[in-house]
Amino acid sequence: MRKVTVFITLKQGVLDPQGKAIQTSLHSLGYQEVQEARVGKYMELQVEDGPDLEARVKEMCDKLLANPVIEDYRFDVEEAVRS
Amino acid sequence: MRKVTVFITLKQGVLDPQGKAIQTSLHSLGYQEVQEARVGKYMELQVEDGPDLEARVKEMCDKLLANPVIEDYRFDVEEAVRS
């Protein structure tokens, strides 16, 4: 079993209203030092190992997990830790 | 300037309907090897450096960024890369 961690972020230049709202809220809480906030998605997948695991994860991202028009993605594959 | 990366995940045992939906969709696309999917948030903050940066980021997470009842968080602090 493998643990695949997927990081999905908005492409540079894409407006991030959620990030803007978080930055404004942090400022109102007194954390003026925050200059920018960008929000993305973080997924942990438990995937049975296979010969073309990385290629299939890339397909999963392209087809479903990330929106290729406005999002970038990257992923890490590691040995799953039995919890 | 520092780049702070925050990872927010649901606590173990907390139901993850979004993750379940993603797993079901991946199965319907033919990716049966996905045994579990859990979805979280990923934030990138650009923060002006300061003596108590880590303590203040922890406060930001406790007060706003993460819901302490159902979410865990961790964060990394690194030198910001001028983009």
Side-chain angles (χ1 to χ4, degrees), chain A residues 42 44, chain B residues 7-11 38-41 70-73:
Chain A
Y42 169 83
E44 288 176 0
Chain B
F7 306 91
I8 298 166
T9 52
L10 287 171
K11 289 183 185 235
R38 291 190 65 82
V39 179
K41 283 174 280 186
I70 60 168
E71 291 173 333
D72 289 323
Y73 67 82

Side-chain angles (χ1 to χ4, degrees), chain A residues 1 7-9 12 18 22 25-26 29-48 56 59-60 63-65 74 83, chain B residues 1 7-9 12 18 22 25-26 29-48 56 59-60 63-65 74 83:
Chain A
M1 188 74 81
F7 306 90
I8 298 165
T9 51
Q12 280 299 334
Q18 199 178 358
I22 284 173
S25 304
L26 287 172
L29 287 171
Y31 301 103
Q32 307 295 337
E33 63 265 39
V34 177
Q35 300 303 310
E36 186 188 31
R38 291 190 62 85
V39 180
K41 283 175 281 187
Y42 169 83
M43 293 184 197
E44 288 176 0
L45 307 178
Q46 301 288 333
V47 185
E48 269 164 34
R56 286 176 68 83
E59 281 175 26
M60 294 179 207
K63 287 182 186 173
L64 181 77
L65 304 179
R74 60 183 174 82
S83 55
Chain B
M1 188 73 81
F7 306 91
I8 298 166
T9 52
Q12 278 301 333
Q18 200 178 358
I22 284 173
S25 304
L26 288 171
L29 287 171
Y31 300 104
Q32 307 296 339
E33 63 265 40
V34 177
Q35 300 302 310
E36 186 188 30
R38 291 190 65 82
V39 179
K41 283 174 280 186
Y42 169 83
M43 292 184 197
E44 289 177 358
L45 307 177
Q46 300 288 334
V47 185
E48 268 165 34
R56 286 175 68 83
E59 280 176 27
M60 294 179 207
K63 286 181 185 172
L64 181 76
L65 304 179
R74 60 184 175 81
S83 58

Side-chain angles (χ1 to χ4, degrees), chain A residues 10 13 21 24 26 39 42 50 54 56 59 68 71 75 79-80 82-83:
Chain A
L10 288 171
T24 307
L26 287 172
V39 180
Y42 169 83
E54 302 232 352
R56 286 176 68 83
E59 281 175 26
E71 291 174 332
F75 60 85
E79 205 50 50
R82 278 289 94 215
S83 55

